């Protein structure tokens, strides 16, 4: 008999969805209208042995409490800040995530955002579309990247992949995270504040934890300065968003390029109104190839569990 799997979200990979249906008795929560989802969960809860969820949807203690037969939670993301580990560990239920397979695409988007902010890409696009070019309105030059300093907060796989790309663009790179990374040439600063002081671009790649919540505060933004740019592809909670909008509006910070926000999908109107901001809707891993690879790894973890094999990527 196939194990019962509660699937929180659809993968854009048809192959991943086919494998789920082939190996599991799937309960596709995402296909149920929002208002009916609670009753649907009640109707299948007693049978569910596995859950497939996403980084943003996470997995709560309350949900764990509704699934008495739960054996494993497979997370289709590298970030696991929305998972209530305490409730799961108390029952010995493992959680897996998808590290590694999204590194390159996430790093690519970080560089794309940084370059878009540096070269004011959205404003240039608007300049063409709204007829400003035709009207020969004045156009100020932007700043080149070569020789500028990129400070990377969080120097794991993704931070290091971003640093390699930025070095290839002729930028100097530095990083900060509490624990020094052995065997890397990139210099580490003594604090996030020092990193912001020494950087033209501050790129956030650290995980969301209680310690990193609002780590980018008014002091860090002021240290980055009126010519500085903040790039965030990590989690919105790392940044004090109200302070960010104020710093950008009043010129204490030069620009921001953001893929993640404190309360997604809500983006404060104050940020949306600013011209010195580039915004994308949490899409760093959203490519056909990477979403397939993430989904495949999430499936492979589930299959390993139900075959009695070691999990590939436990959190
Ligand atoms: C996903 C992410 O967009 O992996 C992560 O941690 O933030 C992204 O890859 C997100 O998990 C979708 O829920």
């Amino acid at each position: 008999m196939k194990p019962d799997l509660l699937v929180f979200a659809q993968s854009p990979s048809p192959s991943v969805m086919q494998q789920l249906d082939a190996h599991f008795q799937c309960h596709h929560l995402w296909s149920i209208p929002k208002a009916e989802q609670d009753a649907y969960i009640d109707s299948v809860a007693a049978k569910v042995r596995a859950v497939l969820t996403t980084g943003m949807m996470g997995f709560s203690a309350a949900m764990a409490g509704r699934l008495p037969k739960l054996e494993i939670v497979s997370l289709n993301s590298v970030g696991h800040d929305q998972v209530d580990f305490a409730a799961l560990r108390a029952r010995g239920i493992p959680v897996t995530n998808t590290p590694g397979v999204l590194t390159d695409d996430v790093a690519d988007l970080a560089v794309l955002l940084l370059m878009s902010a540096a070269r004011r890409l959205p404003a240039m696009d608007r300049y063409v579309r709204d007829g400003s070019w035709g009207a020969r309105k004045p156009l100020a030059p932007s700043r080149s990247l070569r020789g500028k300093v990129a400070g990377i907060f969080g120097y794991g796989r993704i931070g290091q992949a971003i640093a390699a790309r930025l070095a290839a663009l002729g930028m100097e790179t530095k990083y900060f995270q509490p624990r020094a990374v052995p065997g890397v040439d990139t210099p580490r600063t003594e604090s996030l504040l020092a990193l912001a002081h020494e950087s033209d671009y501050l790129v956030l790649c650290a995980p969301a934890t209680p310690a990193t919540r609002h780590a980018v505060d008014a002091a860090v933004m002021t240290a980055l300065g009126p010519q500085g740019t903040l790039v965030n592809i990590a989690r919105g909670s790392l940044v004090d968003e109200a302070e960010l909008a104020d710093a950008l509006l009043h010129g204490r910070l030069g620009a921001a390029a953001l893929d993640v926000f404190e309360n997604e999908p809500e983006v404060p109107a104050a940020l949306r109104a600013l011209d010195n901001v580039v915004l994308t809707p949490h899409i760093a891993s959203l490519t056909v190839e990477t979403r397939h690879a993430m989904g495949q790894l999430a499936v492979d973890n589930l299959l390993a569990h139900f075959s009695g094999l070691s999990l590939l990527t436990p959190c």
Side-chain angles (χ1 to χ4, degrees), residues 28-79:
H28 290 293
L29 188 59
W30 53 270
S31 70
I32 308 293
K34 272 262 170 299
E36 294 162 32
Q37 287 189 354
D38 230 33
Y40 179 78
I41 293 169
D42 281 341
S43 71
V44 298
K47 301 184 280 190
V48 169
R49 295 173 63 194
V51 160
L52 176 58
T53 182
T54 72
M56 291 301 99
M57 296 172 117
F59 193 74
S60 67
M63 185 62 77
R66 294 172 73 177
L67 307 175
K69 288 208 179 129
L70 186 64
E71 294 173 33
I72 181 168
V73 174
S74 178
L75 196 56
N76 195 358
S77 72
V78 66

Side-chain angles (χ1 to χ4, degrees), residues 4-315:
D4 287 69
L5 172 69
L6 186 58
V7 184
F8 278 32
Q10 188 179 24
S11 164
S13 164
S15 154
V16 166
M17 295 311 287
Q18 278 158 16
Q19 291 174 65
L20 289 176
D21 285 320
H23 296 289
F24 299 95
Q25 186 60 51
C26 287
H27 305 289
H28 290 293
L29 188 59
W30 53 270
S31 70
I32 308 293
K34 272 262 170 299
E36 294 162 32
Q37 287 189 354
D38 230 33
Y40 179 78
I41 293 169
D42 281 341
S43 71
V44 298
K47 301 184 280 190
V48 169
R49 295 173 63 194
V51 160
L52 176 58
T53 182
T54 72
M56 291 301 99
M57 296 172 117
F59 193 74
S60 67
M63 185 62 77
R66 294 172 73 177
L67 307 175
K69 288 208 179 129
L70 186 64
E71 294 173 33
I72 181 168
V73 174
S74 178
L75 196 56
N76 195 358
S77 72
V78 66
H80 43 70
D81 45 287
Q82 297 301 313
V83 175
D84 195 326
F85 280 94
L88 294 170
R89 287 204 176 114
R91 286 167 58 190
I93 298 168
V95 180
T96 60
N97 66 342
T98 64
V101 293
L102 43 60
T103 302
D104 284 322
D105 274 332
V106 174
D108 287 351
L109 190 85
V111 174
L112 179 59
L113 283 174
L114 187 152
M115 293 183 86
S116 299
R119 301 299 295 267
R120 306 200 313 270
L121 198 66
M124 296 302 171
D125 182 276
R126 279 195 297 275
Y127 181 87
V128 175
R129 290 174 200 270
D130 72 8
S132 296
W133 195 15
R136 289 182 162 65
K137 289 197 182 160
L139 193 56
S142 46
R143 299 272 180 175
S144 69
L145 296 177
R146 273 158 304 285
K148 302 287 173 14
V149 178
I152 300 179
F153 177 44
Y155 211 54
R157 285 187 201 83
I158 294 172
Q160 291 176 41
I162 293 169
R165 285 158 171 73
L166 296 180
L169 294 171
M171 297 185 79
E172 194 185 328
T173 57
K174 301 182 178 196
Y175 80 95
F176 173 73
Q177 67 172 28
R179 238 181 316 149
V181 181
V184 300
D185 294 334
T186 314
R188 173 177 169 272
T189 60
E190 69 192 13
S191 65
L192 174 58
L193 191 61
L195 187 68
H197 261 298
E198 295 172 28
S199 299
D200 301 293
Y201 296 84
L202 181 63
V203 186
L204 308 182
C205 310
T209 65
T212 60
R213 191 184 137 69
H214 287 192
V216 179
D217 57 10
V220 169
M221 291 174 211
T222 303
L224 193 53
Q227 299 293 330
T229 298
L230 179 72
V231 179
N232 192 2
I233 51 88
R235 287 290 183 263
S237 66
L238 271 63
V239 179
D240 182 336
E241 223 165 55
E243 186 53 48
L244 175 64
D246 198 65
L248 288 164
L249 182 65
H250 294 104
R252 295 193 299 282
L253 179 65
L258 310 167
D259 185 48
V260 288
F261 305 89
E262 275 198 277
N263 193 20
E264 295 172 7
E266 274 162 44
V267 177
L271 279 180
R272 283 188 278 125
L274 291 168
D275 212 36
N276 48 348
V277 176
V278 183
L279 303 168
T280 52
H282 199 151
I283 46 134
S285 69
L286 187 58
T287 63
V288 169
E289 295 82 356
T290 287
R291 282 299 168 91
H292 170 73
M294 291 166 70
Q296 187 65 58
L297 185 50
V299 171
D300 289 344
N301 273 304
L302 290 169
L303 292 176
H305 172 81
F306 286 105
S307 310
L309 301 172
S310 301
L311 298 175
L312 301 168
T313 47
C315 294

